[in-house]
Every structure is written in C-alpha cells, then in structure tokens.
Amino acid sequence: MERLSKIFGSLVFNDNVMEERLPRDIYLVLKNTIHQGKPLDIKIANVVANTMKDWAIENGATHFTHWFQPMTGITAEKHDSFISPTSDGNVIMEFSGKELIKGEPDGSSFPSGGLRSTFEARGYTVWDPTSYAFIRDTTLCIPTAFCSYSGQSLDKKTPLLKSMEALDKTAVRLLNLLGYDDVTRVITTVGPEQEYFLIDKKLFKKRMDLKFCQRTLFGAKPPKGQEMEDHYFGSIKPRVAEFMKELDLELWKLGVLSKTKHNEGAPSQHELAPIFTVTNVATDHNQITMDLMKRIADKHGLVCLLHEKPFAGVNGSGKHNNWSLSTNKGKNLLEPGKKPYENKTFLLFFSAIIKAVDEYQDLLRLSVASAGNDHRLGGNEAPPAIISMFIGSDLKKILRCIENDLPYSEELLNRMDIDVDVLPSFMKDTTDRNRTSPFAFTGNKFEFRMLGSTCNIACPNTILNTIAANSLCEYADILEKSTNIDDTIFEIIKDTMKKHSRIIFNGNNYAQEWVIEAERRGLSNFKTAVDVLPHYVDEQNIKLFEKFNIYTKEEVQSRCDILLEQYSKTLNIEALTMIDMAKKDIIPSVCAYSKSLTDTALNKKSLSSDIDCSLEISLVKKLSSLNACLDIKIEKLNTSLLESKNYPNPKENAEFYRDNIKVQMQELRAIADELESIVGKEFWPFPTYADLLFSI
Ligand code: ADP
Ligand code: MG
C-alpha cells in the first residue's frame, strides 16, 4: 500500500490543493469566504472552478455533479460532463464559476411537502464551500444546499448550516460577555459512530423483503442469536476484514477520518467510528460513508444493511452522535478540566445544554423519529423513547451544591450523598459510562444515542445546535444586564437546576420503573414517530425556529408532513411486500409441503393400512388451518390498505397506519413465522434467519 499520508484526502479538493494550485490572492479570498461564510464573487468563482476542473480531470474525472441532501435523507446527484462543443466541431473541457456556485436540478420529484408547486418545480443548489469537493468514481462531487426558487430550503443541509451560524453567534456573544475577547468563532463538532449489518448477496437476492424494505418482514427465531455474546468485539472474519480494509482506504482517499472498526452485539453486525470534525463536514462524511459501505459491500459479494432493525429478535443498528462545541482558539467548551466546580465557563455551557434538552425534549425525540427507528427505541437494546440525560455523579453533586447554595469543596463533594434517583445508580464508578442513557455526557462531549442507523445526522444536529443556541442566548441576555458576572453565572445555573434537573437521570434507562418515574417527573414519552412528529408545529417550536431563522412556519409544516408521509409510505411498501411474499411464496410452499405429506400418507396406506400416518395427518391439518388463517389476514390487510386512502391528511393517515396496518402486519407475520417453524426446510421459499445471520 502507498504511504497513508499520500493516500489520505487524495481525492479531495482540500485546503492543501487549493493553496498549491490557486493564485495566492484568489486562495486568500476563497479562504476568507470559507471562514466567514461570505458570498463568493463570480470572478473568483471562475478561477476556482477552472482550477478545480483541471485537478479533477487529472484525477480521472469526466463529469461533475452538485451533490445534495434532499428531504429523502439520502444524497442526490445529477451528473453533467465537462465537455463543451467548439465551433470547429471539437470539444473542450469546461467548467465555469456559475456552474460551480449554482445548479438548477429539476426538483419536482423530491419531496417538498407542498412548498413547491410543479409549475415552479425547479429548485436550485448552492455550493457550500465549507465542505470540500471530492471525486467519486469519475465524477467531481460538489457539496451543495438545495432551495426552492422562493428561497425555502428543500434539503437537510441548509437548516444545519443556519443552526451552526445561530450557535456560533450566540456562543461568541456569551463568551465575549464572560471576558473571552479573543473568541470570534464557535463551531460544533460531531463524531457519528455508524452501525451496520453485512450479509451474503446471494441470500439477500432471494428475499423480496430485504430488497424492497432493507429488513426482514418474516423470519422465525434461529436456534442461536446473540445470547452467547460472542460477536461483540469478536475476531473479524476474513471476508468482512477485506471489506473493511477497502472501505477504510476509499474513505481515507475522500478525507473521511475513519478510525475504529469492530464487530457489534448481533451476529453479522459491525461498527465504524470516524474521528470527529465540524458538523456539516461530519454530515457529508457520514453520507459518503453509508454510500461507500453499500458500494464496497457489493464488490465483495455482500450487502450492507443500514436499516434500524433488519432482523427481529437481535439488536438493531443505531448511530451515536457525539457532539461538542469548540472555539477558534481550540478550546472545547464541554471540557470540565481537573476542577470542574471552579470552571465557570464549562458549568455555564453544561447547564445551558441541560436547560435545552429539558425544554425541547420533543424536538430531540422527533429529530430521530422514523418508522425504522420505532422498532428500536424502547426495545431494551437501544435507549427508551424518553429523553433524559446522564451526567455522572460528580457533576450532579456539583450542580446540586450550586442549586442548594452549599459551599462546594472537594471534601464536601466526597461526603455528600445526594443521589436522588429512585432507582439504583447504574454506574458506581464515575469514569464508567451509562450505556443505557439516550443523552450521555461522556467526559468532554455529549453522546446522543437515539439516532437510527439510516438517520441523516443533519436533522438531530440542527435541533441540538438550535436548542443550545436558545439557552445560550437567554443566558447572554441576562448576563448583559448583570453588574456582577460571577454572581450572575451562579444565579443562572441555580435557576436552571431548579427548573430543569428533572431531565437528569443517572440510573438504568432500560428498567420498567424508569417509565413510571419519568412520568412522575413530567417527562414526555413519545412511543412512536407518529406520536411525536406532529409536535414539530407546536407554537413553542415554531417560535424557536423563527427566532434563529432556521425554518419558517411553512417550512416546519412541510417537514412535518413529509416525515409523516414517509412513515405511511414505508409501512405501505412493507405491507404490500408482505402480501406479495405470503401469497406468492409462503402459501404455495405450505401447499407443496402439505401435498408431499399427503402423498406420503396415501402411499403408506396403499402399502399397508396399519402403518401409522398420525404425524402426516396432524401436520397437514395444522398446515391447512394456519394457511387458511394466513389467507384471511392477507385479505384483511388488503382491505385496510384500501381503507387508508380515506385519510388524506398526513397525520391521520400515519395514525391509521400505526394503529391498523402495523398491527395487522404483526399478526400476519406471527402466523407465517409459525408456519416456517413446521414446514420442511427444502420447501421454505426464503433463506432463514440462521442462513442470513451466520452466512459469512
Ligand atoms: P465510544 O466508547 O463510544 O466508542 P470514543 O471515545 O471512542 O467513544 O469516541 C466516540 C466518538 O466520539 C468518536 O467518533 C470520536 O471522534 C468522537 N469525539 C471525541 N471527542 C469529540 C468532540 N469533542 N466532539 C465531537 N465528537 C467527539
Ligand atoms: Mg458510543
């Protein structure tokens, strides 16, 4: 292998390449634009575009695309080649500043939630120069934001960039008030840990549910699952190791800081964690990572499943969003230092996050809500649907001291026993971490653990940044009027703790008692995506988004509708797939097996009337009655799918899917799974869980 330092970022038009290739004055202007988020002059853009094109062609590119993240959550691209005809019938390779800065894809097929009528279907994409362009295969990909003609954002990236700006402004304002005059910029950093499954491609192709829905809709429990706990951190199988090696290499070429890889809890489940970086770049990198996982798996005869719950009965896949804030001076604002009780800046920022999480539990919950993630949250493998924060006992004691006006000395802290959790504390050792918490402080960052594996991290981070900005803004308003900053800081923390300490919970989030305790504390518990999504448009939330210019009221409404529609559409595809598989595969297989049993019995009888045929008879009876039940369930589900059309309103439609379709799908599955457990292996039409999970 070539030296890693040479490979890393070799397909990225990054700062080094820009400095090396652009004229010095152009480079400095561009850099300034990137750092200060200023618009780019067209003359500068022309030079940058030309340089970018030359570099891309040298590296094998023939096409370019504006790469964006519409509301589908995945990335979209439309490829244009660099060629441009000349008057003498030849072609030259061309790429203008205008093409770099702005694109006009026909956006009518992307979800807009009513923001764009088809007659003004065109949206436009705008270059996000803070995320570097890169080459994938033979295409130069230019990260962009996607907007409608009237300027409404149609993607996940634009609000994220706006939320980063809001947080930057308010955090800088607060820090300046605290006396940090040299702080001019605050960024949020993110390191997303990505879980996924790898299964054999040949087996994948034999299952329509995996092909259409990325998850199994049928499947009886295998004799062995994850109970032996032998897969987590287990040795990596050679085929998987080859895949991981190539994945790392390709990610490194694209400048993605892939760092850790290991096996996860379930058989065939794995994880990849990158080193953290600025949030918008981390978002792009996570999209690239998921995309490459799929492509590279395919090359190795594998399929990468990113669905939150590909298999019932074994762990699903999530994504841990590690999040922090740091200044242009390199200071991590969530670093407690050796003496956190003396670190006022840390305590103030920390308490701002406590306030934010408590005040906007619903927004955090809905930022991770999807049909797929509903299978995980609360399933004793992932955090519950209730938002709470783990902060460790030391920090909790410090904050309690401030809240109760107690002097805080190390000695007192050690003597104090103020753990008020009703449940036994999960972790005794403060250096250890509570893995059951949905939102845990892990030393110098918060780890938001409710994200599903397919989640585009732009959404949860937009919410995190915005709600944090809101707390910081309110703090800054108070401090601005204060005559004694130090005293006011403690007053603010005290007040926050009095109002919001209910959100802190260091105990076991998987315990049933917690659900009751959380209710007593008045915390919300939105069990499904459909329960929480309508809260997007609550007055308090719209006010927040408008205050920081993240979304207009119409944009929030459209997002809410799109997400609810996505929920219904997902379940609709799943239900139709189930019906198809049950009708065309399961019922005929059961009939074939019954016939074979019947033939056997008849043959036996014709041989001699006293041969025992009780087994065949009882099996055929059972199979026939289960098959008949299956048929009834199929018809019922079909009828309900038709009935769903009576509910055109996205919320009511999604509720219908949740309360009727989903329940019936479970009933249908239960019968099919029982059939699977009695039908002979050679008759069953699909690879089983045992085949799929232990295939590599
Ligand atoms: P775990 O035990 O959960 O695997 P690690 O300490 O290995 O935790 O870190 C997990 C992730 O957190 C990594 O992606 C890492 O880069 C990221 N991370 C570490 N520090 C920060 C930070 N200041 N901001 C954002 N992410 C961070
Ligand atoms: Mg983690």
Side-chain angles (χ1 to χ4, degrees):
M1 205 206 294
E2 277 181 84
R3 284 222 343 265
L4 193 57
S5 57
K6 248 185 116 180
I7 290 169
F8 189 81
S10 58
L11 294 178
V12 183
F13 193 74
N14 58 22
D15 195 56
N16 288 343
V17 183
M18 291 187 215
E19 188 167 17
E20 195 186 298
R21 295 188 172 233
L22 288 169
R24 186 84 193 145
D25 53 332
I26 302 273
Y27 167 72
L28 291 176
V29 177
L30 180 64
K31 213 169 159 156
N32 209 24
T33 308
I34 292 174
H35 278 290
Q36 302 188 348
K38 288 193 181 143
L40 195 63
D41 181 84
I42 188 70
K43 284 194 209 104
I44 309 277
N46 278 331
V47 183
V48 177
N50 200 41
T51 312
M52 206 186 255
K53 177 208 67 188
D54 289 344
W55 168 83
I57 291 171
E58 274 170 44
N59 284 285
T62 51
H63 288 67
F64 69 92
T65 180
H66 276 200
W67 184 79
F68 58 104
Q69 300 174 31
M71 286 300 297
T72 52
I74 52 173
T75 53
E77 45 202 82
K78 174 183 151 231
H79 298 222
D80 281 302
S81 77
F82 288 122
I83 57 167
S84 173
T86 56
S87 52
D88 56 3
N90 285 323
V91 290
I92 51 164
M93 301 296 247
E94 240 180 16
F95 183 48
S96 68
K98 196 168 150 270
E99 286 170 308
L100 167 65
I101 298 181
K102 199 167 165 183
E104 297 190 15
D106 179 355
S108 56
S109 299
F110 294 111
S112 79
L115 280 185
R116 213 169 2 92
S117 43
T118 11
F119 68 85
E120 47 169 359
R122 281 161 100 73
Y124 64 93
T125 48
V126 204
W127 182 32
D128 165 18
T130 59
S131 180
Y132 299 130
F134 57 92
I135 297 171
R136 211 192 42 210
D137 297 332
T138 52
T139 301
L140 170 70
C141 299
I142 301 152
T144 52
F146 180 40
C147 307
S148 77
Y149 249 101
S150 39
Q152 285 142 329
S153 49
L154 296 172
D155 68 347
K156 306 227 172 200
K157 189 76 175 283
T158 315
L160 177 68
L161 293 171
K162 287 180 175 175
S163 74
M164 290 169 70
E165 201 180 307
L167 187 99
D168 174 25
K169 271 199 196 133
T170 48
V172 169
R173 180 174 157 229
L174 186 70
L175 287 166
N176 291 164
L177 284 166
L178 297 181
Y180 295 89
D181 298 330
D182 54 350
V183 172
T184 53
R185 187 133 199 258
V186 169
I187 53 159
T188 52
T189 50
V190 166
E193 301 165 62
Q194 177 74 47
E195 290 180 342
Y196 60 97
F197 278 86
L198 285 177
I199 58 165
D200 191 277
K201 189 157 72 180
K202 282 195 228 77
L203 299 176
F204 168 89
K205 283 190 170 160
K206 292 184 184 157
R207 292 199 58 132
M208 197 197 237
D209 48 3
L210 285 176
K211 271 196 276 182
F212 288 161
C213 313
Q214 297 281 307
R215 79 175 180 104
T216 53
L217 300 168
F218 298 106
K221 271 210 173 71
K224 181 177 190 265
Q226 63 188 66
E227 51 284 280
M228 301 297 284
E229 293 168 345
D230 51 356
H231 193 254
Y232 190 60
F233 280 35
S235 74
I236 298 173
K237 304 237 172 66
R239 223 170 133 195
V240 175
E242 280 303 309
F243 157 84
M244 287 180 170
K245 200 169 130 195
E246 188 174 344
L247 177 63
D248 271 344
L249 189 66
E250 293 306 317
L251 285 171
W252 289 334
K253 284 186 196 165
L254 293 177
V256 179
L257 293 149
S258 166
K259 170 94 173 150
T260 322
K261 50 187 180 186
H262 61 77
N263 287 352
E264 260 300 326
S268 289
Q269 193 184 28
H270 312 279
E271 182 186 291
L272 181 148
I275 296 173
F276 68 95
T277 179
V278 190
T279 308
N280 63 323
V281 177
T283 303
D284 287 355
H285 281 183
N286 184 245
Q287 293 296 124
I288 293 176
T289 303
M290 292 194 285
D291 183 44
L292 276 180
M293 280 175 166
K294 287 185 173 284
R295 287 163 186 255
I296 291 169
D298 188 60
K299 281 170 73 180
H300 290 256
L302 300 165
V303 173
C304 171
L305 297 176
L306 288 169
H307 193 282
E308 281 78 12
K309 194 76 180 174
F311 306 99
V314 293
N315 278 3
S317 301
K319 180 143 58 190
H320 290 175
N321 190 81
N322 294 273
W323 176 91
S324 190
L325 314 110
S326 64
T327 69
N328 55 313
K329 297 281 151 192
K331 179 183 170 66
N332 178 351
L333 293 161
L334 293 179
E335 175 59 60
K338 285 209 172 64
K339 294 183 173 172
Y341 49 90
E342 287 176 4
N343 187 344
K344 292 187 203 102
T345 313
F346 164 75
L347 288 175
L348 197 62
F349 274 83
F350 194 77
S351 119
I353 311 299
I354 293 176
K355 173 176 154 68
V357 173
D358 186 43
E359 282 179 340
Y360 294 98
Q361 297 162 44
D362 53 350
L363 283 184
L364 283 170
R365 171 66 183 90
L366 70 80
S367 76
V368 300
S370 68
N373 215 15
D374 276 1
H375 297 289
R376 285 176 69 240
L377 296 180
N380 275 8
E381 54 170 281
I386 307 163
I387 307 258
S388 70
M389 295 171 85
F390 167 84
I391 63 168
S393 58
D394 280 0
L395 284 171
K396 186 164 169 176
K397 282 178 189 169
I398 293 170
L399 292 171
R400 287 264 182 232
C401 277
I402 300 176
E403 182 184 350
N404 297 301
D405 278 329
L406 293 166
Y408 42 97
S409 69
E410 232 158 303
E411 193 228 350
L412 182 76
L413 288 180
N414 291 335
R415 273 194 290 123
M416 246 188 345
D417 183 19
I418 50 162
D419 225 322
V420 292
D421 290 327
V422 285
L423 309 176
S425 188
F426 201 60
M427 295 299 172
K428 292 282 172 265
D429 182 354
T430 52
T431 59
D432 209 340
R433 303 170 188 181
N434 183 339
R435 307 300 298 185
T436 69
S437 174
F439 202 97
F441 183 66
T442 49
N444 59 4
K445 62 187 191 296
F446 279 103
E447 190 168 339
F448 186 22
R449 301 208 182 102
M450 290 172 99
L451 286 74
S453 44
T454 48
C455 182
N456 180 320
I457 64 168
C459 272
N461 285 298
T462 301
I463 300 298
L464 267 172
N465 296 343
T466 311
I467 62 176
N470 186 53
S471 296
L472 297 174
C473 181
E474 285 182 22
Y475 285 4
D477 290 344
I478 299 170
L479 283 166
E480 216 159 44
K481 295 192 201 94
S482 154
T483 46
N484 185 330
I485 293 280
D486 280 359
D487 283 358
T488 311
I489 290 177
F490 285 108
E491 282 309 311
I492 288 175
I493 298 174
K494 197 172 145 179
D495 183 57
T496 298
M497 286 305 287
K498 283 207 184 308
K499 289 186 186 139
H500 303 292
S501 59
R502 63 173 185 165
I503 198 75
I504 298 168
F505 179 60
N506 286 347
N508 179 5
N509 284 257
Y510 293 176
Q512 203 41 46
E513 295 92 316
W514 169 232
V515 179
I516 298 156
E517 166 62 10
E519 194 179 341
R520 194 194 58 77
R521 293 189 190 186
L523 300 179
S524 39
N525 183 4
F526 298 104
K527 293 198 181 70
T528 72
V530 186
D531 298 322
V532 74
L533 286 172
H535 290 281
Y536 229 149
V537 290
D538 284 357
E539 204 183 319
Q540 140 166 303
N541 296 335
I542 291 183
K543 260 195 188 146
L544 173 82
F545 291 131
E546 286 182 340
K547 176 174 174 188
F548 293 99
N549 185 30
I550 312 294
Y551 300 120
T552 60
K553 189 175 177 184
E554 293 71 37
E555 285 172 335
V556 184
Q557 183 67 59
S558 82
R559 264 150 224 264
C560 179
D561 289 350
I562 290 172
L563 291 167
L564 286 164
E565 279 163 15
Q566 273 169 3
Y567 178 91
S568 302
K569 283 180 192 165
T570 305
L571 263 70
N572 186 256
I573 295 171
E574 290 183 349
L576 289 173
T577 306
M578 279 189 110
I579 292 174
D580 202 285
M581 288 170 80
K583 263 189 176 164
K584 295 196 182 133
D585 295 312
I586 299 178
I587 290 180
S589 318
V590 177
C591 290
Y593 184 50
S594 298
K595 180 176 184 306
S596 135
L597 289 167
T598 312
D599 290 349
T600 310
L602 288 174
N603 282 340
K604 279 185 182 177
K605 284 284 172 212
S606 63
L607 193 64
S608 157
S609 62
D610 57 0
I611 302 181
D612 182 5
C613 293
S614 58
L615 170 75
E616 287 84 356
I617 293 169
S618 93
L619 267 178
V620 171
K621 273 188 187 164
K622 194 161 184 190
L623 289 168
S624 302
S625 89
L626 283 173
N627 230 9
C629 284
L630 197 68
D631 191 46
I632 293 169
K633 295 280 177 207
I634 292 171
E635 281 319 309
K636 204 171 147 206
L637 187 53
N638 249 332
T639 314
S640 295
L641 285 174
L642 289 175
E643 203 188 327
S644 74
K645 300 202 168 42
N646 300 339
Y647 302 89
N649 171 288
K651 177 170 176 278
E652 284 165 21
N653 195 257
E655 281 167 357
F656 183 83
Y657 270 90
R658 177 197 60 194
D659 299 336
N660 296 281
I661 307 288
K662 199 172 170 186
V663 179
Q664 289 172 32
M665 283 166 63
Q666 278 156 358
E667 289 170 6
L668 182 65
R669 176 178 182 149
I671 301 169
D673 289 356
E674 196 182 342
L675 279 165
E676 183 187 327
S677 71
I678 42 180
V679 170
K681 169 107 181 133
E682 61 186 291
F683 288 88
W684 195 248
F686 326 113
T688 64
Y689 268 29
D691 299 331
L692 294 165
L693 286 166
F694 299 92
S695 65
I696 349 173

